[in-house]
Amino acid sequence: MKRIAIALTLGCVVLTRVVCAQQSEPADEIREFELRVLELTNIERARNSLQPLVWHEAASGAARAHSADMQHSGQLSHTGSDGSNVGQRLERVGVTDWWAWGENVAAGQTTPEAVVEAWMNSTGHRANILNPDFTHLGVGLTRQAAAPGRMPTFWTQKFIRL
């Protein structure tokens, strides 16, 4: 079977450069928000008679790393600051058995509900969430203390088909 890279979607503008700051939220709350994104994503899939996505810890690690990279670089992008794409970042964390992948990114939303709503209101992001071919999901959230000129949150969803 041939591997397929699902079209990436980015319905946002490039942000101005921000300085990376320490996470201001406890790790447990970050994890709860990530798992809530999975839950909300699966609610949307159920509304469309699709199978739920399964949490994938390694893909979540890749998602967290990409969110941190975007926060550090100040760029909302599907391309890493090192030029990497989604498939390469998944392979870096040991996810090598994928057949297809997709990615959603966002910045600025402060709750899981807000980010999933934003993605569902964007054609390309919605297409990833409702893609029946995907089987697993990783989510990564990076938060920083609010400061003038800085986006407080960066979100990444990594969709994969194993």
Side-chain angles (χ1 to χ4, degrees):
M1 181 178 255
K2 185 177 180 181
R3 287 185 175 187
I4 302 168
I6 304 301
L8 300 174
T9 58
L10 179 63
C12 306
V13 297
V14 175
L15 303 172
T16 58
R17 183 164 178 79
V18 296
V19 178
C20 186
Q22 289 184 320
Q23 299 249 113
S24 60
E25 300 294 326
D28 288 346
E29 184 173 353
I30 296 292
R31 177 72 168 200
E32 287 175 22
F33 275 28
E34 292 169 347
L35 291 171
R36 179 71 174 144
V37 167
L38 171 69
E39 179 183 8
L40 294 168
T41 298
N42 281 334
I43 288 170
E44 295 296 340
R45 290 175 65 86
R47 287 181 181 149
N48 288 273
S49 302
L50 297 171
Q51 292 295 313
L53 298 171
V54 176
W55 182 261
H56 196 283
E57 190 59 40
S60 294
R64 287 183 202 107
H66 188 59
S67 290
D69 182 53
M70 289 188 297
Q71 185 177 59
H72 179 73
S73 70
Q75 302 293 315
L76 184 63
S77 178
H78 293 289
T79 302
S81 62
D82 62 356
S84 61
N85 67 34
V86 180
Q88 291 166 326
R89 292 190 299 273
L90 284 168
E91 289 177 356
R92 283 183 193 157
V93 297
V95 183
T96 59
D97 53 347
W98 55 264
W99 291 100
W101 51 255
E103 178 177 81
N104 286 346
V105 297
Q109 296 83 1
T110 58
T111 66
E113 291 77 11
V115 75
V116 172
E117 180 181 354
W119 283 327
M120 289 302 291
N121 288 326
S122 166
T123 303
H125 296 103
R126 179 183 180 91
N128 277 340
I129 289 171
L130 300 181
N131 186 324
D133 293 331
F134 292 134
T135 58
H136 292 76
L137 180 68
V139 179
L141 166 62
T142 302
R143 297 184 84 172
Q144 65 183 16
R150 294 186 184 174
M151 295 303 293
T153 57
F154 284 83
W155 303 83
T156 303
Q157 282 184 309
K158 300 271 192 218
F159 299 90
I160 50 179
R161 177 180 178 169
L162 297 179

